[in-house]
Amino acid sequence: MDMKDKTVNEKFIRTIVKKHGTPLFVIFLNNLKERAQNFRKLLPRVMPFYAVKANPSTPILKYLAKEGFGFDVASRNEIETVLKLGGKPEKMIFANTIKTQEALKISQKNGIDLMTFDSEYELAKIAKYYPGARVLVRIKVPNVGSVVELSLKFGVEPADAVSLLIKAIKLGLKPAGVSFHVGSQCTEIANFTEALELSSIIFKDALLKKIHLEILDIGGGFPITHFDSETDQFPAMAEKISSELDRLFDTNTTVIAEPGRYLAGPVCTLITRVIGKSIRNNKHWYYLDDGVYGCLSGIVYDHCKYQFRVFRRGQTQISTLAGPTCDSFDVISFSEELPELEFGDIVYVENIGAYSIATATHFNSIPPAKTIVVS
Ligand SMILES: Cc1ncc(COP(=O)(O)O)c(C=O)c1O
């Protein structure tokens, strides 16, 4: 039985719940191995830099560092954590376009010299606190249909990219390339193809100005499935990205990516139990021991929809799932088709590894779910 089977195995879940209680956040390391291998196999030209923000759990970072993955870090703490767990400075990119002075100084101290920017002000800041750093200009690209839209807050107009790279040279920085993000949980292949096309134009325009760009960073956004009814879109997407990379970029171009969700999402399962029950407006409400202030925070911050699974069988009815805190905002779902549940019944969610425990809070002094690792 592979480890993923364990997540859908009632006996296994009941055993770990008996041992550890709930709420429980289970990391399946064998699945991570599979995802990591798959990413490399399907995008052979692309060096993956795991986006730590998706799930900074130590076992995940340690495993990926051991496997030689790079890391996309977004803050001073992420830099320090990754370094402590075995990440190499030359395989890290500071891919937050808004960096603090302190974080830049820490980057310099540790030789993490590759970073993204998307404004003149950021360039000046980088030049001041990390003179000589290598910079990638982040461009605004279509985010159509992506669940988490990023082009509103980030990215310069592609037409301004080359002049900003010239500005970088004037400030004593090294223009290294172009980066983009098509939006998280992107299911539109066209977002990638258009972004690649735009980037290749910038590479060519830069060359006309005698700026030789070496690195293309295709960001994150690679989608996963949450429901049984969905098909995995990644293989077709990866095939298209690969052929476009070969068509648009010569083999000297180093291509990197910042996958977060693709690696972390499917490798974790959240197990909760029913701790409260009521009937409100003729509808059953079940209160779980985790909610939107905990590992289900992705409902809010990640706009995520999950498939809730139970072991109890029987006549189903539309029910509400809510979290354990004293806030009426803490409602997980108003319309889940569920059999009548009892206190102590298990409700679990697979594919919840990304933007879940990373954004869990301690509201009501309830700590995030206990993490366990299955390898
Ligand atoms: C700069 C950057 N890189 C990578 C990622 C990871 O994206 P994803 O989890 O969709 O792969 C994000 C997510 O917000 C991001 O902001």
Side-chain angles (χ1 to χ4, degrees):
M1 178 169 70
D2 98 348
M3 287 305 139
K4 184 76 182 180
D5 292 337
K6 278 190 181 171
T7 65
V8 291
N9 181 301
E10 180 170 356
K11 194 164 154 226
F12 172 74
I13 289 188
R14 288 200 190 283
T15 308
I16 54 170
V17 164
K18 203 164 176 193
K19 185 158 177 212
H20 299 281
T22 57
L24 203 53
F25 189 76
V26 192
I27 302 176
F28 292 90
L29 273 191
N30 270 9
N31 287 137
L32 180 60
K33 182 176 173 187
E34 214 175 88
R35 304 292 294 175
Q37 283 173 349
N38 214 36
F39 191 91
R40 282 176 155 158
K41 191 173 104 198
L42 296 182
L43 285 172
R45 235 190 115 169
V46 179
M47 286 168 58
F49 283 54
Y50 172 62
V52 176
K53 61 186 82 75
N55 186 333
S57 298
T58 301
I60 293 180
L61 299 184
K62 252 190 185 164
Y63 176 79
L64 293 175
K66 182 169 71 68
E67 290 301 310
F69 269 63
F71 293 93
D72 149 15
V73 288
S75 68
R76 175 188 174 156
N77 280 355
E78 285 193 358
I79 291 171
E80 290 176 336
T81 304
V82 169
L83 288 173
K84 208 169 65 199
L85 296 176
K88 300 274 174 290
E90 64 277 14
K91 282 196 170 177
M92 284 163 72
I93 177 166
F94 199 163
N96 187 343
T97 54
I98 300 134
K99 296 170 274 299
T100 64
Q101 300 170 9
E102 291 70 31
L104 282 167
K105 287 184 199 160
I106 295 288
S107 291
Q108 185 181 34
K109 194 173 139 216
N110 291 287
I112 299 152
D113 71 340
L114 188 62
M115 54 197 72
T116 60
F117 75 95
D118 66 0
S119 88
E120 263 191 73
Y121 300 103
E122 188 72 11
L123 264 187
K125 196 206 298 163
I126 296 171
K128 183 166 176 195
Y129 295 102
Y130 197 157
R134 293 183 297 153
V135 290
L136 302 176
V137 62
R138 178 160 169 184
I139 57 167
K140 193 193 272 188
V141 296
N143 275 212
V144 183
S146 296
V147 174
V148 184
E149 144 85 44
L150 294 168
S151 60
L152 180 72
K153 185 174 171 187
F154 302 106
V156 302
E157 289 300 333
D160 296 333
V162 174
S163 59
L164 282 164
L165 291 168
I166 292 170
K167 178 99 192 171
I169 298 175
K170 286 188 182 146
L171 288 167
L173 298 168
K174 299 187 187 91
V178 175
S179 87
F180 62 76
H181 198 302
V182 292
S184 200
Q185 186 66 7
C186 168
T187 50
E188 292 283 334
I189 295 183
N191 286 353
F192 272 108
T193 53
E194 282 178 45
L196 291 172
E197 194 83 53
L198 288 168
S199 303
S200 78
I201 293 169
I202 295 168
F203 268 62
K204 285 182 196 125
D205 284 353
L207 204 52
L208 292 176
K209 306 272 184 209
K210 307 221 167 356
I211 303 172
H212 181 74
L213 298 178
E214 294 170 338
I215 301 174
L216 171 70
D217 175 0
I218 65 172
F222 312 99
I224 64 167
T225 58
H226 284 100
F227 293 85
D228 293 341
S229 54
E230 289 171 322
T231 40
D232 182 6
Q233 306 208 37
F234 181 68
M237 193 174 261
E239 199 181 333
K240 185 71 183 168
I241 292 171
S242 294
S243 64
E244 287 297 277
L245 284 174
D246 289 344
R247 185 173 72 84
L248 297 167
F249 295 90
D250 67 40
T251 48
N252 293 327
T253 306
T254 300
V255 185
I256 69 173
E258 302 162 1
R261 185 188 310 279
Y262 181 83
L263 294 170
V267 311
C268 303
T269 294
L270 176 69
I271 307 171
T272 71
R273 270 185 298 199
V274 175
I275 55 163
K277 182 172 170 179
S278 68
I279 295 176
R280 306 179 66 76
N281 297 327
N282 289 325
K283 192 171 159 199
H284 269 117
W285 281 57
Y286 302 106
Y287 304 85
L288 308 181
D289 54 9
D290 204 352
V292 302
Y293 286 96
C295 285
L296 288 155
S297 48
I299 290 169
V300 181
Y301 300 117
D302 193 35
H303 317 286
C304 205
K305 292 195 170 47
Y306 301 109
Q307 182 159 356
F308 295 91
R309 301 174 188 272
V310 297
F311 296 123
R312 190 173 286 280
R313 297 287 169 256
Q315 176 80 42
T316 61
Q317 53 194 305
I318 296 286
S319 312
T320 296
L321 291 177
T325 66
C326 298
D327 186 354
S328 59
F329 181 71
D330 193 4
V331 174
I332 298 161
S333 169
F334 282 107
S335 57
E336 292 299 316
E337 190 72 40
L338 292 167
E340 183 167 357
L341 301 178
E342 303 300 341
F343 289 139
D345 275 6
I346 287 169
V347 178
Y348 68 102
V349 181
E350 296 180 288
N351 305 311
I352 193 172
Y355 311 108
S356 51
I357 202 150
T359 44
T361 74
H362 281 74
F363 186 47
N364 282 202
S365 296
I366 299 172
K370 175 180 176 183
T371 297
I372 65 159
V373 180
V374 175
S375 50

